Amino acid sequence: MVRIALDAMGGDHGVSVVVPAACAYVASNPAVELILVGQEDVIKAAMPTGCKRIRIHHASEVVGMDELPSQALRRKKDSSMRVAIDLVKSGEADACVSAGNTGALMATARFVLKMLPHVDRPAIITALPNTKSHTWMLDLGANVDSSASHLYQFAVMGVEQVAALDGNTSPTVGLLNIGEEEIKGNEQVKKAHELLSGSDLNYVGYVEGDNIYDGSVDLVVADGFVGNVALKASEGVAKMISHYLKAGFKQSLFSKMAALLAMPILKSFGKRIDPRSYNGANLLGLNGIVIKSHGGADELSFGNAIKIADKAVHTDIPRRIEKKVEAHLLPGSEA
Amino acid sequence: MVRIALDAMGGDHGVSVVVPAACAYVASNPAVELILVGQEDVIKAAMPTGCKRIRIHHASEVVGMDELPSQALRRKKDSSMRVAIDLVKSGEADACVSAGNTGALMATARFVLKMLPHVDRPAIITALPNTKSHTWMLDLGANVDSSASHLYQFAVMGVEQVAALDGNTSPTVGLLNIGEEEIKGNEQVKKAHELLSGSDLNYVGYVEGDNIYDGSVDLVVADGFVGNVALKASEGVAKMISHYLKAGFKQSLFSKMAALLAMPILKSFGKRIDPRSYNGANLLGLNGIVIKSHGGADELSFGNAIKIADKAVHTDIPRRIEKKVEAHLLPGSEA
């Protein structure tokens, strides 16, 4: 039985999304037990009757979406987020999922669970749709000013994540760069390129922003500042396109009729690139499984984050990453 | 009469795009004279009869799309790109447009035209569509590792570009950042935030990647590495969406019929966010007007880059920027 702790109070919608998503997940996954962490009375009020294999673990406090990570860490020791992570630490849960404040989740998880041996920094990884299937990308915002050896380590951890979750044992790896400079990119990227070129990873070289979505590589490696901006810019473009599509189909009676006919196609297309199907980012490098859901996640979307946690438990990601990192230490790294 | 020199050999398509775009532009803009720079026989062969106010200026060499900027600069003194810029320097042209290699264009323009007084680095600026109208963004790849004072100067130059081209004298300015870190962003961005907060620019604070496309601000300022990745990632998402839309409408007889009805709507929507309507990036900070067209530009797209050059001449961008920069020197900058 896989046991996953859910931060029931986290995200923009709290229990109104987490509780129904949990009930739906256990209903279709008989080998999973979920622990709803948060204010007992609030959770109970949101709980439909007949949910099986779900129990409530009371936690009195809630971390706000804009709360400073250091304050959440110091002052809110009985928050739903903290207690969900504590359950992973104590072994009562195999993984946890939170839609709360990313900074607080990262800081708390790092403090409670610690990093794996030899891992310098955690990194956030997720899958994004591409024209063929999907592309994995990290780091999505855990780090800024990543050094060459950090980027190298992100690649090592990312490769293991792809191997574990997709069964693709030698995924192609690209390093995110720009094509405009004479000797491309900045110093860190150039040095990371050398490290990766000399490794046994299936490194294919530099990729540019558009290659995230064209299926050129299985895994894209970037500094967290760059990766986060790329991700958010992509979300922005997709929203803008959807805005103009909707506006176009509402313009006239004719276009409204066309919309009726086009709707099934647009819907199936939307499903294909629906960010909700890609919700659930793994915080790699921690000694435990922590999945970050998008703050604005709805029920379907949060369910996907639970699925990612479930898969991560089955494939024992942290142990696999520990071994992979140990086998890929750079000369000069501590033994 | 505005005189614009066009690098006729540049870009993926060379004369087959530049020459017809030039003929179409002069036909509808009687106050413009164009100079086609490149191999005379090649240009002549591509020239339709009856094109007025276009003359050919022979240049024997061509800069390759993958040529190293330093080599293009040293070895190809009679390239179409170099000669087009030389014409701006000598005053025979008021501006030039090239779809060639960005690195070579930047290096050559900087060498020939020099920077404006007090400008440390040039920056590439363009307009991008948003849900309301458009957002200007710089730098798109001229610089990596921009310091806080570089970012500040990009903002100053960008504001003047927006003022000149949109007549918006106090555009809102946002600094591109990520929301994940406790004290947001990296050191350079945090310092630039202080510099901008203390300036008389209409600075509204940090923005994230999705704000580029939602109309939150008129101008987004970023380091060139970050800006370039954001731009390319956006292109990639748009291409992927278009790929899936087309595939969806081709799936069955029903969907093909729906496509026929939906086509006018999709077309008008496409026009709205057509990257071709946004083609033409200004290389700000140079002592002269140089417009970079997308390498893959088609006729419509290249025509838009000529229009941007035309507008830049009319509004005398370099002189305006020179004054603006002088009025916004940071304490400690050279006098």
Side-chain angles (χ1 to χ4, degrees):
Chain A
M1 189 65 76
V2 170
R3 300 149 309 157
I4 302 168
L6 309 180
D7 168 5
M9 320 299 285
D12 301 339
H13 311 299
V15 291
S16 68
V17 157
V18 177
V19 175
C23 292
Y25 197 83
V26 287
S28 52
N29 293 276
V32 174
E33 195 177 282
L34 297 175
I35 309 164
L36 291 170
V37 184
Q39 291 159 350
E40 192 166 5
D41 48 342
V42 180
I43 297 174
K44 272 191 175 157
M47 186 89 91
T49 51
C51 282
K52 281 172 190 168
R53 299 190 316 287
I54 291 193
R55 64 182 180 88
I56 299 172
H57 188 112
H58 181 69
S60 60
E61 294 168 311
V62 177
V63 173
M65 288 305 271
D66 293 322
E67 202 159 336
L68 282 182
S70 57
Q71 291 193 1
L73 185 58
R74 269 202 311 273
R75 295 187 196 161
K76 296 220 171 140
K77 293 190 180 154
D78 198 39
S79 73
S80 55
M81 179 190 283
R82 169 68 178 263
V83 174
I85 297 170
D86 285 343
L87 292 177
V88 176
K89 172 75 180 171
S90 69
E92 284 178 71
D94 304 306
C96 69
V97 181
S98 175
N101 176 334
T102 311
L105 184 65
M106 182 62 86
T108 309
R110 214 175 153 162
F111 177 79
V112 173
L113 299 172
K114 312 297 179 211
M115 301 302 297
L116 289 168
H118 310 295
V119 176
D120 296 321
R121 293 176 169 204
I124 302 176
I125 188 168
T126 197
L128 296 163
N130 69 34
T131 49
K132 293 161 193 169
S133 60
H134 60 264
T135 309
W136 292 89
M137 181 163 162
L138 86 171
D139 173 40
L140 297 174
N143 305 278
V144 297
D145 296 326
S146 309
S147 70
S149 58
H150 293 138
L151 292 169
Y152 168 81
Q153 203 169 60
F154 296 167
V156 171
M157 296 196 293
V159 161
E160 199 55 29
Q161 162 97 359
V162 179
L165 268 75
D166 286 351
N168 175 358
T169 52
S170 186
T172 51
V173 180
L175 186 60
L176 196 57
N177 199 352
I178 65 170
E180 307 299 350
E181 286 287 303
E182 169 141 25
I183 303 159
K184 292 178 163 193
N186 54 32
E187 282 311 311
Q188 303 90 283
V189 167
K190 279 183 259 176
K191 275 190 207 157
H193 174 72
E194 281 171 33
L195 293 175
L196 288 166
S197 300
S199 76
D200 67 349
L201 302 180
N202 191 1
Y203 176 63
V204 299
Y206 294 132
V207 292
E208 295 193 47
D210 47 340
N211 300 127
I212 303 169
Y213 300 98
D214 69 3
S216 303
V217 287
D218 299 316
L219 174 69
V220 172
V221 177
D223 165 59
F225 193 103
V226 176
N228 187 278
V229 166
L231 184 72
K232 293 274 173 72
S234 304
E235 282 177 19
V237 169
K239 268 188 203 160
M240 178 187 67
I241 290 177
S242 140
H243 166 89
Y244 281 122
L245 261 182
K246 280 181 196 153
F249 279 113
K250 275 183 195 156
Q251 233 161 27
S252 64
L253 186 61
F254 171 82
S255 63
K256 279 179 196 159
M257 283 169 60
L260 278 181
L261 274 174
M263 206 42 79
I265 296 138
L266 293 176
K267 268 197 180 153
S268 95
F269 145 77
K271 228 179 202 170
R272 189 76 213 228
I273 59 159
D274 190 345
R276 296 182 302 170
S277 321
Y278 292 90
N279 186 42
N282 206 328
L283 272 51
L284 288 188
L286 295 169
N287 190 15
I289 299 168
V290 179
I291 304 296
K292 159 72 182 148
S293 159
H294 200 289
D298 63 8
E299 194 183 317
L300 174 70
S301 188
F302 196 85
N304 204 67
I306 303 176
K307 191 167 83 187
I308 300 276
D310 193 0
K311 276 192 183 176
V313 174
H314 275 286
T315 51
D316 200 8
I317 298 264
R319 290 293 79 71
R320 289 186 65 150
I321 289 192
E322 184 175 356
K323 279 185 205 159
K324 187 83 170 184
V325 166
E326 214 161 78
H328 287 81
L329 290 180
L330 291 172
S333 304
E334 25 153 8
Chain B
M1 189 66 74
V2 170
R3 299 150 309 157
I4 302 169
L6 309 180
D7 169 5
M9 320 299 286
D12 301 338
H13 310 299
V15 291
S16 69
V17 157
V18 176
V19 175
C23 293
Y25 197 83
V26 287
S28 52
N29 294 275
V32 175
E33 194 178 284
L34 297 176
I35 309 164
L36 291 170
V37 184
Q39 291 159 349
E40 193 167 6
D41 48 342
V42 180
I43 297 174
K44 271 191 176 155
M47 186 90 90
T49 50
C51 282
K52 283 174 189 166
R53 298 190 317 287
I54 291 193
R55 65 181 179 89
I56 299 173
H57 188 110
H58 181 68
S60 60
E61 294 169 310
V62 178
V63 172
M65 288 305 270
D66 291 323
E67 201 159 337
L68 283 182
S70 56
Q71 293 194 359
L73 186 56
R74 269 200 311 272
R75 295 187 197 162
K76 296 218 172 143
K77 292 189 181 154
D78 198 38
S79 73
S80 55
M81 181 190 281
R82 170 67 178 264
V83 174
I85 298 170
D86 285 343
L87 292 177
V88 176
K89 173 73 179 172
S90 68
E92 283 178 71
D94 304 307
C96 68
V97 181
S98 174
N101 176 334
T102 312
L105 184 66
M106 182 62 87
T108 309
R110 215 175 151 162
F111 176 78
V112 173
L113 298 173
K114 312 297 179 211
M115 303 300 299
L116 289 169
H118 311 296
V119 175
D120 295 321
R121 293 176 169 203
I124 301 176
I125 188 168
T126 196
L128 295 163
N130 69 33
T131 49
K132 293 161 192 166
S133 59
H134 60 263
T135 309
W136 293 89
M137 181 162 161
L138 86 171
D139 171 41
L140 297 174
N143 306 277
V144 297
D145 297 326
S146 309
S147 70
S149 58
H150 292 139
L151 293 169
Y152 168 81
Q153 203 169 59
F154 296 165
V156 171
M157 295 196 294
V159 160
E160 198 56 29
Q161 163 97 358
V162 179
L165 268 76
D166 286 351
N168 174 358
T169 52
S170 186
T172 51
V173 179
L175 186 60
L176 196 58
N177 200 352
I178 65 172
E180 306 300 349
E181 287 286 303
E182 168 141 27
I183 302 158
K184 291 180 166 194
N186 55 31
E187 282 311 311
Q188 303 89 287
V189 167
K190 280 183 257 175
K191 274 191 208 155
H193 174 73
E194 281 171 34
L195 293 175
L196 288 166
S197 301
S199 75
D200 67 350
L201 302 180
N202 192 0
Y203 177 63
V204 300
Y206 294 131
V207 292
E208 294 192 46
D210 48 338
N211 301 127
I212 302 168
Y213 300 99
D214 70 2
S216 302
V217 286
D218 299 315
L219 175 70
V220 172
V221 177
D223 165 58
F225 192 104
V226 176
N228 187 278
V229 166
L231 184 70
K232 293 274 173 75
S234 304
E235 283 178 18
V237 169
K239 268 188 203 162
M240 178 187 67
I241 290 177
S242 141
H243 166 89
Y244 281 122
L245 261 182
K246 279 179 195 154
F249 278 114
K250 275 183 194 156
Q251 233 160 28
S252 64
L253 187 63
F254 171 81
S255 62
K256 279 178 196 160
M257 283 170 60
L260 278 180
L261 274 173
M263 206 42 77
I265 296 136
L266 293 176
K267 270 199 180 150
S268 95
F269 144 77
K271 229 180 202 168
R272 190 76 212 228
I273 59 158
D274 190 347
R276 297 182 300 171
S277 323
Y278 292 90
N279 185 43
N282 207 328
L283 272 51
L284 288 187
L286 295 169
N287 190 15
I289 299 168
V290 179
I291 304 297
K292 159 72 182 145
S293 159
H294 200 289
D298 63 8
E299 193 184 317
L300 174 69
S301 189
F302 195 86
N304 205 67
I306 304 176
K307 190 166 84 185
I308 300 275
D310 193 1
K311 274 192 184 177
V313 174
H314 275 288
T315 50
D316 200 9
I317 298 262
R319 291 292 81 71
R320 288 185 66 151
I321 288 192
E322 184 175 356
K323 279 184 203 156
K324 187 82 170 186
V325 166
E326 212 162 81
H328 287 81
L329 290 180
L330 291 172
S333 303
E334 24 153 8

